[in-house]
Amino acid sequence: MLSRLKAKVGSVLLPGDEFCLDTTGADTISLAGPSKANKVVCGPGLRRSGDRLLVYKSGLLRHKEPNMFWMDAQHKRYVPAKGETVIGIVTSKSGDVFKVDIGGSEQASLSYLAFEGATKRNRPNVQVGDLLFAQLIVANKDMEAELVCVDSAGRANGMGVFGAGGLLFRVSLGLARRLLAPQSDLRAELEQLFPCEMVVGMNGRLWVKSTGVQRTLVLANLLESCENLTPVQRRQLFGKLAQGAL
Amino acid sequence: MKETPLSNCERDFLLKAIQEKKRLDGRQTYDYRKLKIMFGTDFGCCFVELGKTRVMAQVSCELVAPKENRPNEGIMFFNIELSPMASPAFEQGRQSELSVKLNRQLERCLRNSKCIDLESLCVVSGEKVWQIRVDVHMLNHDGNLMDAASITAIASLCHFRRPDVGIQGDEVTVYSPDERDPIPLSIYHMPISVSFAFFQQGTYLLVDPCEREERVMDGLLMIAMNKHREICSIQSSGGIMLLKEQVMRCSKIASVKVSEITKLIMKALENDKTARKAGGKCGFAESMPQERITALKKDETAVEMTDVTERANDIVLNAEVPPQTSQSLLVPLPGMGQVGKDLQNSWGIEEYYQDEEEAFNSDEDKQTMMEVGEKQKVHEDVVEISDSEEDEVVILQPEATDRAHKKTSSSSHLKEPAKSKKRHRK
């Protein structure tokens, strides 16, 4: 089965496609049996059902060494996942927690103590409507999502309230992931255009700021249009912009 | 599900941008978004896209007893559905404040202005009249639902045909479309609503606000007008004080917009009619541009790029001033009209984007070219065509090419490349 999965890496699969556990094959690994060295890890979009491996999202099959497989798809709706960093909007302050909209089906909660240097006396200055960059520490389907603005060492590490003077807008989750990828062409090309600040949340929210309203708007429009451009088209567009469309 | 809250940062940015006379989508203050009107296969079914706002309307009719105080008049009513499909903030099956407001406004715009001859809907006085029902469904909410709804409603009413009836003595026969041709409603005029958003207590004004602009606006003024410049209804909400001059200015802008939109609706109706007469396919599916969604990956098309700059410069120098085509209506596909697609915007992002598309998606439908830059591209396309097996344009020498180009550019540069394009596709 492993070889068949590997053969399909990078190709388009649809919900309902399945891989059967073939016990006669030479390179068989068993999902049910005692764990061996090569265990297959199913990421989002793949699900085990008995001795079958089902695809339940349409998209491309991705693979990461040694045996991690998942489906890469275009999404617009965000489903919170533990450990992801997101951009949230504070909707209310109630007692000692803030309610934050992160684009999921429910609002997430954020304790006022989960900020760098916050104590019972020293409350962080967060207003309703502020933008927050935060990390999800609790995210499962049965419980309310929970955010923090500190890392495990108690440092802010880039998280917290931000967003004066920039523009927030939404893109698809795929584009947000593309921007966050370690070697992102898109980001590298953007960097060469003009100086800007950008915050990318895994929930598809994007915040950009550049010098002046015009440039910020150009940047936002550019990023929105990047959604459906091929790299060549994108490079041409960026090239034109760099040549002095501004 | 609750609506996504608007962050302070968005609000501040929007207001700042409006002060600097900039809008999120690159429009000017008085610009309308791209408007697209399509008709379904059934009579009275219309689908309007205003930017990302999408509205669908379906007209239906029924024989009912008239109201007692008006025995000679047909009945017309409107029903607006705000489904969760349009926006997660809308709830199914509950009359929200917004839907009541929209419904009321639509009634004021279309029924109270007496744009439809209700007396012609009477079959037997005091006994049987036609009841016309207009169902307006919001499919996507990106601001300015009222304008989109009014355009959709009036366009679908214009498109609608009711069955013919015959009366013999006391007997009323309703003929099916096979027996007798259905009859259109008699429409006196077409009221169309135009919305104006006011910011900072009326200091700044925007036409056709999008969703985020609607959320930061202070007040809204909706003017329903017909092309004879008669105001059918006017409503101001948000509690702002407007000056007399502002209302006058708004009504002037509205009259311009209304005449444009009316022209577009007429054009779309006419197109649909010709498409139906020709017996060809019509309806939404036919008017959807193809290869839009799946345009992530495309095969590259060879485009001749050597000495393009010189040639383009040459063309630009020798070309005549392009005719003002911004107001002209253009119909890329049967049963559909659109306006404002290629209007010049303030910083050119859109143009460049479209430019790219043209260079690559060479099989896409050509639209009105506005800019000289776009024109160059078209000429490149012509070059490309001449490379293929077409034998209409034979190019032997570069001079000949240039001459050919000049010829095309002098004789209505808009139509010619588009036509050769079509030929090429065949």
Side-chain angles (χ1 to χ4, degrees):
Chain A
M1 189 192 72
L2 200 59
S3 64
R4 243 189 294 156
L5 262 173
K6 277 192 175 152
K8 285 276 185 190
V9 167
S11 62
V12 176
L13 296 179
L14 297 173
D17 281 348
E18 57 179 70
F19 297 95
C20 282
L21 290 183
D22 184 14
T23 40
T24 53
D27 61 347
T28 308
I29 46 139
S30 165
L31 289 174
S35 74
K36 287 179 199 147
N38 52 355
K39 196 179 187 179
V40 171
V41 179
C42 297
L46 293 174
R47 185 174 57 198
R48 206 195 103 188
S49 165
D51 54 355
R52 297 180 308 164
L53 189 62
L54 298 171
V55 177
Y56 69 94
K57 273 182 188 169
S58 55
L60 303 172
L61 184 68
R62 299 281 189 203
H63 173 229
K64 194 178 171 188
E65 286 301 331
N67 285 323
M68 220 191 280
F69 293 93
W70 74 95
M71 300 299 298
D72 190 11
Q74 282 284 346
H75 288 262
K76 281 186 168 173
R77 181 168 297 281
Y78 179 64
V79 180
K82 191 181 164 184
E84 290 186 340
T85 47
V86 294
I87 296 179
I89 304 169
V90 181
T91 54
S92 67
K93 290 198 275 191
S94 55
D96 51 359
V97 288
F98 302 115
K99 289 276 175 239
V100 184
D101 178 276
I102 54 168
S105 58
E106 287 232 23
Q107 297 197 328
S109 69
L110 170 66
S111 163
Y112 75 95
L113 290 171
F115 286 87
E116 189 186 50
T119 56
K120 284 238 168 197
R121 288 252 176 101
N122 183 15
R123 285 182 171 232
N125 181 22
V126 180
Q127 305 300 326
V128 171
D130 274 352
L131 290 184
L132 280 168
F133 191 62
Q135 191 168 24
L136 280 158
I137 50 161
V138 175
N140 57 45
K141 59 183 177 184
D142 303 316
M143 281 166 68
E144 190 183 51
E146 209 168 298
L147 295 166
V148 284
C149 284
V150 283
D151 62 6
S152 52
R155 296 259 152 228
N157 204 1
M159 289 181 279
V161 180
F162 72 100
L167 173 64
L168 179 84
F169 58 99
R170 285 215 54 175
V171 294
S172 77
L173 300 188
L175 185 64
R177 282 197 290 260
R178 253 159 68 198
L179 281 165
L180 286 170
Q183 272 94 38
S184 163
D185 298 344
L186 179 53
R187 208 178 53 217
E189 282 164 29
L190 269 179
E191 277 164 4
Q192 288 164 7
L193 266 186
F194 44 74
C196 62
E197 287 177 63
M198 182 160 71
V199 180
V200 187
M202 289 288 278
N203 54 350
R205 289 204 178 129
L206 227 62
W207 176 91
V208 287
K209 184 185 177 184
S210 188
T211 51
V213 172
Q214 172 84 3
R215 279 195 166 187
T216 310
L217 277 173
V218 168
L219 205 60
N221 278 302
L222 211 57
L223 282 164
E224 273 176 358
S225 63
C226 279
E227 194 89 61
N228 294 319
L229 291 182
T230 62
V232 186
Q233 284 173 314
R234 194 179 65 219
R235 240 163 271 145
Q236 280 197 351
L237 174 66
F238 281 26
K240 282 214 178 93
L241 209 68
Q243 273 169 24
L246 288 174
Chain B
M1 208 173 121
K2 260 169 106 179
E3 194 173 20
T4 318
L6 191 75
S7 66
N8 295 343
C9 128
E10 281 170 280
R11 184 186 305 273
D12 295 345
F13 186 87
L14 272 165
L15 290 174
K16 212 167 109 195
I18 289 162
Q19 274 181 24
E20 293 185 21
K21 306 246 182 265
K22 305 248 162 51
R23 293 176 78 168
L24 285 181
D25 37 14
R27 279 183 289 160
Q28 299 286 351
T29 324
Y30 298 149
D31 285 353
Y32 233 70
R33 279 174 288 180
K34 193 187 99 190
L35 179 65
K36 214 187 217 181
I37 301 171
M38 292 174 266
F39 294 103
T41 38
D42 272 358
F43 282 121
C45 183
C46 177
F47 187 93
V48 166
E49 280 179 33
L50 182 64
K52 282 183 195 154
T53 299
R54 291 164 143 224
V55 179
M56 194 199 100
Q58 172 72 59
V59 182
S60 50
C61 64
E62 198 184 347
L63 276 175
V64 292
K67 288 179 186 157
E68 271 175 22
N69 51 352
R70 296 188 190 278
N72 297 323
E73 280 186 17
I75 303 167
M76 178 162 74
F77 76 97
F78 298 90
N79 176 33
I80 288 193
E81 295 275 339
L82 298 176
S83 74
M85 190 168 124
S87 156
F90 296 155
E91 273 178 57
Q92 187 81 59
R94 225 180 60 186
Q95 284 266 313
S96 67
E97 203 184 324
L98 180 67
S99 81
V100 172
K101 194 180 133 194
L102 285 174
N103 219 329
R104 184 82 199 94
Q105 182 63 14
L106 198 63
E107 271 180 10
R108 278 158 50 107
C109 170
L110 290 175
R111 192 166 63 190
N112 299 5
S113 69
K114 303 240 181 338
C115 65
I116 289 180
D117 181 13
L118 290 178
E119 286 183 9
S120 72
L121 296 173
C122 176
V123 181
V124 181
S125 173
E127 279 175 33
K128 272 199 166 55
V129 294
W130 283 110
Q131 182 192 54
I132 305 290
R133 176 196 171 106
V134 186
D135 282 289
V136 182
H137 293 264
M138 304 297 170
L139 305 181
N140 194 25
H141 174 31
D142 189 35
N144 210 356
L145 286 177
M146 184 55 218
D147 290 12
S150 87
I151 295 169
T152 324
I154 192 70
S156 57
L157 281 169
C158 291
H159 190 246
F160 182 66
R161 304 278 185 277
R162 66 172 171 85
D164 199 0
V165 286
I167 307 166
Q168 272 116 23
D170 286 347
E171 221 169 274
V172 177
T173 335
V174 179
Y175 295 102
S176 72
D178 309 329
E179 292 168 310
R180 279 198 198 175
D181 279 343
I183 307 165
L185 303 175
S186 57
I187 292 167
Y188 295 134
H189 58 95
M190 291 161 69
I192 286 159
S193 153
V194 178
S195 300
F196 300 88
F198 291 94
F199 299 86
Q200 308 216 326
Q201 297 307 312
T203 326
Y204 299 101
L205 176 155
L206 293 183
V207 177
D208 183 20
C210 72
E211 199 247 343
R212 284 203 271 186
E213 285 164 349
E214 270 185 356
R215 285 167 81 170
V216 297
M217 73 187 172
D218 289 335
L220 183 72
L221 180 71
M222 294 190 264
I223 302 182
M225 209 188 245
N226 61 21
K227 68 172 176 190
H228 312 298
R229 301 171 58 113
E230 294 164 336
I231 291 178
C232 302
S233 89
I234 183 163
Q235 177 166 335
S236 158
S237 54
I240 51 157
M241 311 281 230
L242 291 174
L243 296 171
K244 200 167 66 185
E245 293 81 49
Q246 274 176 317
V247 180
M248 280 310 288
R249 191 161 55 140
C250 288
S251 67
K252 274 184 193 136
I253 299 165
S255 73
V256 176
K257 297 291 169 205
V258 164
S259 69
E260 275 175 30
I261 295 168
T262 314
K263 251 190 243 170
L264 182 74
I265 295 176
M266 297 314 284
K267 189 92 187 167
L269 280 166
E270 208 172 282
N271 272 304
D272 186 71
K273 208 172 164 187
T274 44
R276 270 166 206 276
K277 217 173 236 170
K281 287 176 183 169
C282 50
F284 300 147
E286 291 308 307
S287 44
M288 291 288 177
Q290 279 163 11
E291 299 197 66
R292 278 273 175 182
I293 303 159
T294 53
L296 273 172
K297 214 170 181 183
K298 280 229 158 192
D299 290 336
E300 280 186 33
T301 324
V303 180
E304 174 55 0
M305 289 299 273
T306 50
D307 68 351
V308 159
T309 345
E310 294 98 83
R311 200 182 290 162
N313 282 337
D314 199 4
I315 292 163
V316 171
L317 283 176
N318 295 322
E320 286 162 28
V321 181
Q324 278 300 313
T325 48
S326 62
Q327 302 309 326
S328 77
L329 302 166
L330 165 103
V331 182
L333 289 157
M336 177 184 117
Q338 64 186 42
V339 75
K341 167 112 179 170
D342 289 318
L343 288 182
Q344 210 161 2
N345 66 19
S346 54
W347 58 70
I349 276 291
E350 280 271 307
E351 258 96 21
Y352 284 115
Y353 175 43
Q354 281 164 6
D355 228 304
E356 304 297 319
E357 273 192 356
E358 261 153 43
F360 284 88
N361 311 359
S362 56
D363 51 356
E364 227 174 67
D365 279 5
K366 283 284 152 205
Q367 261 126 26
T368 323
M369 304 305 151
M370 275 292 299
E371 276 203 335
V372 185
E374 300 242 277
K375 220 172 87 195
Q376 292 170 13
K377 276 285 174 200
V378 178
H379 287 293
E380 279 168 38
D381 284 342
V382 175
V383 177
E384 181 212 321
I385 289 157
S386 66
D387 287 340
S388 72
E389 68 284 348
E390 284 293 317
D391 48 7
E392 273 136 324
V393 189
V394 181
I395 297 161
L396 297 170
Q397 288 161 351
E399 287 88 8
T401 341
D402 270 0
R403 227 178 299 134
H405 283 319
K406 269 169 226 159
K407 221 165 57 188
T408 50
S409 66
S410 60
S411 66
S412 81
H413 75 283
L414 287 176
K415 294 280 145 34
E416 203 58 36
K419 249 189 259 166
S420 47
K421 198 80 220 173
K422 292 247 168 69
R423 260 186 264 128
H424 175 56
R425 219 191 305 161
K426 281 170 205 162

